Amino acid sequence: MTTISPQGRTELLRPDGSPVRVLVVDDELSITELLSMALRYEGWQIRSAGDGQGALQAAREFRPDAVVLDMMLPDMDGLAVLGRLRRELPDVPVLFLTAKDAVEDRIAGLTAGGDDYVTKPFSLEEVVARLRGLIRRSGAADRRSDSVLVVGDLTLDEDSHEVSRAGDSIHLTATEFELLRFLMRNPRRVLSKAQILDRVWSYDFGGQANVVELYISYLRRKIDAGREPMIHTRRGAGYLIKPAVS
Amino acid sequence: MTTISPQGRTELLRPDGSPVRVLVVDDELSITELLSMALRYEGWQIRSAGDGQGALQAAREFRPDAVVLDMMLPDMDGLAVLGRLRRELPDVPVLFLTAKDAVEDRIAGLTAGGDDYVTKPFSLEEVVARLRGLIRRSGAADRRSDSVLVVGDLTLDEDSHEVSRAGDSIHLTATEFELLRFLMRNPRRVLSKAQILDRVWSYDFGGQANVVELYISYLRRKIDAGREPMIHTRRGAGYLIKPAVS
DNA sequence: TCGGAGTCTGTGATTTCCCTGAGAAACGCA
DNA sequence: TGCGTTTCTCAGGGAAATCACAGACTCCGA
């Protein structure tokens, strides 16, 4: 079932109306903290574990709808954890976290079952987007909930990556797309540059904070050009997006 | 009965509307995991077994509509398992998994009864396609569900392997065909190179990721040459196929 | 009106990503 | 075995995307 939260965000809910449950497994505390916060912000219920044993126990007790699983755990091989997790939770989709270079060796193939993976360092927007995709497709949440974000006459399709305003198709680069997705998932809400940097760029991004200004500028040229503006600056606070006629 | 899932994929269902049931028999846990995940993603119900005894027991209890059977099992000869399986499930089609060199000796002939086989290492697209064919032909699923994928003026027949665009027949190599099939089974959806590699190439493929770029290039020459392009690149995201006039 | 903090954007360097030609290796078939 | 086909690697070229920098602009309070 899909409802609109007070903030205007679309929430995934289970068929019985209760929040989606996600288990996060990583041995780095900073990562589980980071993910837990971001995912709670989605309105999901989060449990975390730091090793394979804890993951299996949590899986039994918590019965999550999806699992975020680091492939590098201290006590058990990631594949072994996955195998035993599968026995416990046969139909639950898994989002793997993996180092950039480890992909070919071990992940290839695993993602075929509808699972997915993200390489470290990741951006939170990406993790959230992929998790939403997995949960939506797994059927834990209502299948009718689709993958299109709409704000005013602006639409963004998370599957096809298509963006259009008032019927005109707009081409965005990968970064522009992620930024706009983040804005549109939080319409009418002021997002600070720090928040945007945290969510849209990788968590270890070390560059200048004004990339956000730069990309807002790019987006405006493509989305607001010659139209009633939808992207607004709140000086000293951040940016927000809202329907043009409000 | 054929229904369209949210992703736009066609699902096979039994006449009573319940999901198709498939039994996977292999002694390598990684293989049963891989297959179980991929086949569940097709919307099928999966049971797995690691040896001949387990397979026979599962066959009795689970009453599958199709069986994936590795010919190399620890406790029993593959042929023996097959024989006893046949006594239990006379009309159920079997997809054999076999090493590349063992083919001629023993499998040829077995497949005469409407069964089929795939050599290890296989690609998931191939296993799924062959299983779909077996199930469809066995009558467990509704026969009306057809085997032709259509996107715009492009058609691909999964049975005859015929491909044509705007009436012009197009010859594709095996790899090109599988890649195009995967794209066409996910129209208007961005597929990452990693996803494509996972599904279209063998699970143990260790090569360069740019084979995907290469084969996309081949497909374009054959399918898009001199026409309105249907295969599109989303830089930094992946590829997608969609009707030319959209 | 002036000044400063905050924001916007043009320019260009650098990096990343993608495409494709050439050829080697593996395969299939006669 | 030999030949044509298919698969895949490698490497170069080129296009696009990303980002730093700096100067211009805007807003707002003194």
Side-chain angles (χ1 to χ4, degrees):
Chain A
M1 192 193 207
T2 308
T3 60
I4 306 296
S5 74
Q7 301 85 34
R9 288 187 302 119
T10 327
E11 282 175 10
L12 282 181
L13 295 177
R14 307 157 110 196
D16 64 4
S18 62
V20 166
R21 301 155 86 92
V22 179
L23 172 62
V24 176
V25 186
D26 197 304
D27 59 322
E28 284 176 76
L29 193 61
S30 60
I31 300 280
T32 54
E33 290 293 337
L34 180 67
L35 285 174
S36 297
M37 269 191 295
L39 302 182
R40 285 209 177 89
Y41 184 68
E42 294 297 312
W44 300 338
Q45 240 178 292
I46 310 300
R47 179 79 63 91
S48 62
D51 54 32
Q53 288 299 339
L56 294 172
Q57 197 188 328
R60 270 190 293 275
E61 296 169 2
F62 186 56
R63 313 301 304 176
D65 301 300
V67 178
V68 179
L69 177 63
D70 186 9
M71 290 309 274
M72 301 280 259
L73 293 176
D75 60 336
M76 257 194 239
D77 181 74
L79 280 179
V81 176
L82 178 65
R84 297 180 59 178
L85 214 52
R86 280 266 172 265
R87 219 159 305 155
E88 206 69 52
L89 310 164
D91 295 320
V92 166
V94 176
L95 182 72
F96 304 104
L97 299 182
T98 161
K100 188 139 209 166
D101 43 8
V103 176
E104 282 77 2
D105 329 346
R106 317 180 61 208
I107 306 299
L110 291 182
T111 65
D115 294 334
D116 206 345
Y117 73 88
V118 161
T119 58
K120 289 184 177 182
F122 47 77
S123 83
L124 288 171
E125 272 304 285
E126 192 179 355
V127 171
V128 169
R130 289 189 188 279
L131 262 181
R132 289 173 65 92
L134 284 179
I135 291 166
R136 184 156 33 79
R137 275 177 251 127
S138 80
D142 187 349
R143 282 168 180 257
R144 279 169 308 170
S145 62
D146 61 12
S147 59
V148 179
L149 296 172
V150 179
V151 175
D153 58 358
L154 182 65
T155 66
L156 178 149
D157 187 317
E158 302 198 74
D159 276 345
S160 68
H161 283 213
E162 271 165 5
V163 174
S164 68
R165 175 144 186 212
D168 299 338
S169 172
I170 295 171
H171 173 260
L172 299 184
T173 71
T175 307
E176 290 163 359
F177 179 82
E178 294 240 326
L179 172 56
L180 181 60
R181 168 155 65 187
F182 183 44
L183 292 174
M184 290 182 70
R185 299 206 35 239
N186 296 278
R188 299 173 187 278
R189 170 181 294 217
V190 174
L191 301 166
S192 72
K193 276 184 271 196
Q195 275 180 302
I196 293 173
L197 214 46
D198 284 352
R199 299 277 304 215
V200 176
W201 273 261
S202 305
Y203 55 79
D204 69 344
F205 177 79
Q208 305 297 312
N210 95 324
V211 287
V212 176
E213 298 169 19
L214 184 61
Y215 273 86
I216 288 285
S217 162
Y218 291 159
L219 273 187
R220 280 177 166 148
R221 280 180 228 178
K222 293 185 177 179
I223 285 166
D224 286 347
R227 303 181 174 95
E228 192 73 1
M230 293 181 64
I231 299 173
H232 304 268
T233 306
R234 288 285 172 271
R235 225 182 149 75
Y239 301 91
L240 84 166
I241 198 167
K242 62 177 182 179
V245 278
S246 89
Chain B
M1 190 199 216
T2 307
T3 59
I4 306 296
S5 73
Q7 300 85 34
R9 290 185 301 113
T10 330
E11 284 175 8
L12 281 181
L13 295 177
R14 305 156 111 198
D16 64 3
S18 62
V20 166
R21 301 155 87 92
V22 178
L23 172 62
V24 176
V25 186
D26 197 304
D27 59 323
E28 284 177 78
L29 190 62
S30 60
I31 300 282
T32 54
E33 288 295 335
L34 180 66
L35 285 174
S36 298
M37 278 190 288
L39 302 182
R40 281 205 183 91
Y41 187 63
E42 293 298 312
W44 301 338
Q45 237 179 292
I46 310 300
R47 179 77 64 89
S48 62
D51 53 32
Q53 288 298 338
L56 294 171
Q57 196 188 327
R60 271 191 292 275
E61 296 169 3
F62 186 57
R63 313 301 303 175
D65 301 300
V67 178
V68 179
L69 176 63
D70 185 10
M71 292 309 275
M72 301 278 260
L73 293 177
D75 60 336
M76 258 193 240
D77 181 73
L79 281 179
V81 176
L82 179 64
R84 298 180 58 179
L85 214 53
R86 279 267 171 268
R87 218 161 306 154
E88 206 68 53
L89 310 163
D91 296 321
V92 167
V94 176
L95 182 71
F96 304 107
L97 299 182
T98 160
K100 191 135 211 166
D101 41 9
V103 178
E104 283 75 2
D105 335 344
R106 317 176 64 204
I107 307 298
L110 290 184
T111 63
D115 295 334
D116 204 346
Y117 73 89
V118 160
T119 58
K120 287 185 177 182
F122 47 78
S123 85
L124 289 169
E125 276 299 289
E126 190 179 356
V127 170
V128 168
R130 289 193 187 277
L131 262 181
R132 288 171 67 92
L134 284 179
I135 292 166
R136 188 152 31 78
R137 273 177 255 123
S138 80
D142 187 350
R143 282 163 185 268
R144 280 170 308 167
S145 62
D146 62 14
S147 59
V148 178
L149 297 172
V150 178
V151 175
D153 59 358
L154 182 65
T155 66
L156 177 150
D157 189 317
E158 302 198 75
D159 278 345
S160 67
H161 280 216
E162 274 164 2
V163 175
S164 68
R165 175 143 187 211
D168 300 338
S169 172
I170 295 171
H171 172 260
L172 299 183
T173 70
T175 308
E176 290 163 358
F177 179 82
E178 294 229 336
L179 171 56
L180 182 60
R181 167 158 64 190
F182 184 45
L183 290 175
M184 290 181 71
R185 275 163 58 82
N186 296 277
R188 297 174 186 277
R189 170 177 295 217
V190 174
L191 301 167
S192 71
K193 274 183 274 197
Q195 278 179 297
I196 293 172
L197 217 45
D198 281 355
R199 298 281 306 208
V200 175
W201 271 261
S202 306
Y203 53 82
D204 69 343
F205 178 79
Q208 307 298 312
N210 92 326
V211 287
V212 177
E213 299 167 20
L214 184 63
Y215 274 86
I216 288 285
S217 161
Y218 291 159
L219 273 187
R220 280 178 167 149
R221 282 180 223 177
K222 294 186 176 179
I223 286 166
D224 286 347
R227 304 180 173 94
E228 192 72 2
M230 293 182 63
I231 299 173
H232 303 267
T233 305
R234 288 280 171 275
R235 207 158 216 276
Y239 300 92
L240 84 166
I241 198 167
K242 62 175 182 180
V245 277
S246 92

